[in-house]
Amino acid sequence: MPSPLEEIIEQKIRDDGPMSIGAYMALALGHSAHGYYMKQDPFGRSKNYGGDFVTAPEVSQLFGEMIGVWAADLWMQMGRPERLALVECGPGRGTLMADLLRATSGVDGFHEAVHVHLVEMSPVLREKQREALGGYDVVWHEDFESVQDDAPLIVIGNEFLDALPFEQYIGGVQRTVDLRADGRLCFVPEDGEVVERAPVREGFVQQVCERIKAQGGAALFIDYGHMKSGVGDTFQAIKGHEYVDVLSHIGDADLTSHVDFEALQKGVDIGICGPVCQGDFLRALGIGLRTRTLMQKAEGKQALAIEKGLHRLVDSDQMGVLFKAVGFYHHDKPIAPAGF
Ligand code: SAH
């Protein structure tokens, strides 16, 4: 039985012809009724604990705390502006922002300055974010453009860029999603060396950088991907912590592609730091020291969990090397984002 979204996509192809991968991805993730993010909370710790995948803030509170250190340090370097627009794109369950705010509650004046903006398309996840951020004033937006705050900005996105639509090319021909004679979905062309481009993703980063150039501040994006542009097919679908076919389970599997961090920097005319590997970034921010402090106060099982979380975030065979961090900052001011 095809899912409702599969039927919608197939009908669209019958009506309008082959569909770009970007359009396919945008529907599979963001269709208002049946899109993957629109109808469910996809996060879960492991196969045994449900969900489809786990992200760094869900692995350990250390992650959001370190981003909090990064943001508060930057605010101080910026000369403690009275108002700061703290924007998170794709906040998931709101865990990162909750940990960030808790970790910075002792930074004199920071919470008074901060206005939190969340860019989130999913009504289900907005609800989770509302629960996680109970005590805080938060404003939600459909997209970054709708954030109408003219204060200096700190923009954060963890595993946001990988969810934005991208395109593939084989031999210079744009790859599309089409219907086979038997009515099943397929790629055209099917085989060959794949080159990926992500104009929506790069356009989004440029838009953020233009705002930073005009208003001051910085942005931090963390995601899985490669430092240098290359060739290869990185389109992937994850369901229940396993890779599945990208053309099946439509609306029930997460679809992403790896972020090309070299391409991301093109056309940006403000300061850039990194990209660096996530492990190096978190270590430079002091995750080791923070872990030791937490462990001193923790009991046996709890201490073990804290240590396990640290390893998952920084070890090179875990998230430490595949994930990269890149910063963009207003270079007219003498600020140096930490961690790079
Ligand atoms: N940052 C979170 C969640 C990552 S998953 C974490 O690290 O746990 C991707 C997030 O981006 C989800 O919250 C999803 O709903 C949101 N998202 C994906 N595409 C989006 C888009 N085009 N506009 C707004 N939000 C989007």
Side-chain angles (χ1 to χ4, degrees):
M1 265 275 287
S3 68
L5 193 48
E6 208 170 326
E7 275 177 9
I8 290 168
I9 286 173
E10 287 171 5
Q11 189 56 49
K12 212 166 156 36
I13 293 173
R14 276 192 290 271
D15 291 345
D16 306 337
M19 185 181 279
S20 73
I21 289 180
Y24 171 77
M25 191 167 168
L27 278 172
L29 297 181
H31 182 275
S32 58
H34 308 293
Y36 177 73
Y37 279 112
M38 306 304 272
K39 59 177 194 181
Q40 69 212 324
D41 170 4
F43 305 98
R45 218 156 255 282
S46 70
K47 252 184 180 167
N48 300 333
Y49 291 93
D52 290 319
F53 60 94
V54 63
T55 56
E58 303 299 329
V59 163
S60 167
Q61 69 183 74
L62 288 162
F63 188 78
E65 289 176 352
M66 288 302 116
I67 310 293
V69 167
W70 183 87
D73 171 70
L74 208 74
W75 173 74
M76 289 190 265
Q77 288 193 47
M78 286 158 68
R80 302 174 182 258
E82 252 172 53
R83 184 181 173 101
L84 176 77
L86 179 59
V87 187
E88 187 180 358
C89 300
R93 280 183 173 168
T95 310
L96 189 165
M97 186 57 79
D99 291 338
L100 179 160
L101 291 171
R102 199 192 55 253
T104 53
S105 61
V107 179
D108 193 24
F110 185 62
H111 280 209
E112 288 71 21
V114 157
H115 291 254
V116 177
H117 298 271
L118 302 179
V119 175
E120 176 58 69
M121 67 176 181
S122 161
V124 179
L125 291 174
R126 280 187 184 201
E127 202 39 52
K128 291 270 170 195
Q129 292 152 18
R130 200 186 309 279
E131 285 165 25
L133 297 167
Y136 298 100
D137 256 343
V138 174
V139 186
W140 278 269
H141 307 271
E142 276 300 311
D143 48 37
F144 180 74
E145 213 168 352
S146 329
V147 180
Q148 288 302 347
D149 202 316
D150 59 7
L153 305 150
I154 289 186
V155 182
I156 291 163
N158 186 62
E159 288 207 36
F160 176 69
L161 298 178
D162 66 63
L164 297 182
F166 75 111
E167 301 295 345
Q168 292 187 331
Y169 297 84
I170 293 182
V173 178
Q174 184 168 350
R175 216 174 176 206
T176 54
V177 179
D178 205 349
L179 280 171
R180 287 197 315 219
D182 66 1
R184 304 286 302 273
L185 292 174
C186 66
F187 284 117
V188 179
E190 208 135 19
D191 299 308
E193 190 172 72
V194 171
V195 174
E196 296 184 340
R197 298 262 179 273
V200 172
R201 179 188 296 156
E202 286 148 32
F204 161 77
V205 168
Q206 279 164 20
Q207 193 186 14
V208 169
C209 290
E210 272 158 32
R211 289 282 296 273
I212 288 171
K213 195 175 173 184
Q215 296 172 212
L220 174 68
F221 296 107
I222 301 179
D223 225 303
Y224 43 85
H226 32 278
M227 299 274 190
K228 296 268 164 231
S229 303
V231 292
D233 178 1
T234 74
F235 197 8
Q236 65 183 41
I238 298 255
K239 180 173 160 49
H241 302 271
E242 274 169 8
Y243 293 105
V244 295
D245 175 22
V246 291
L247 296 181
S248 13
H249 309 285
I250 305 173
D252 294 321
D254 185 31
L255 292 180
T256 66
S257 72
H258 282 210
V259 173
D260 176 346
F261 280 89
E262 186 180 349
L264 223 52
Q265 299 170 55
K266 295 212 174 100
V268 168
D269 66 348
I270 62 172
I272 301 176
C273 21
V276 295
C277 292
Q278 173 172 301
D280 294 335
F281 178 70
L282 294 175
R283 279 193 208 97
L285 288 174
I287 198 169
L289 188 65
R290 176 67 186 145
T291 305
R292 283 197 290 281
T293 311
L294 278 180
M295 283 181 65
Q296 274 163 11
K297 292 185 225 150
E299 308 272 310
K301 239 187 175 170
Q302 227 183 350
L304 215 65
I306 294 165
E307 206 174 13
K308 230 173 125 183
L310 170 75
H311 287 301
R312 184 93 189 260
L313 293 178
V314 304
D315 283 5
S316 52
D317 59 346
Q318 304 279 313
M319 302 173 95
V321 169
L322 174 61
F323 284 74
K324 320 278 188 300
V326 65
F328 300 97
Y329 63 102
H330 193 291
H331 58 12
D332 289 350
K333 300 250 170 63
I335 57 173
F340 294 97

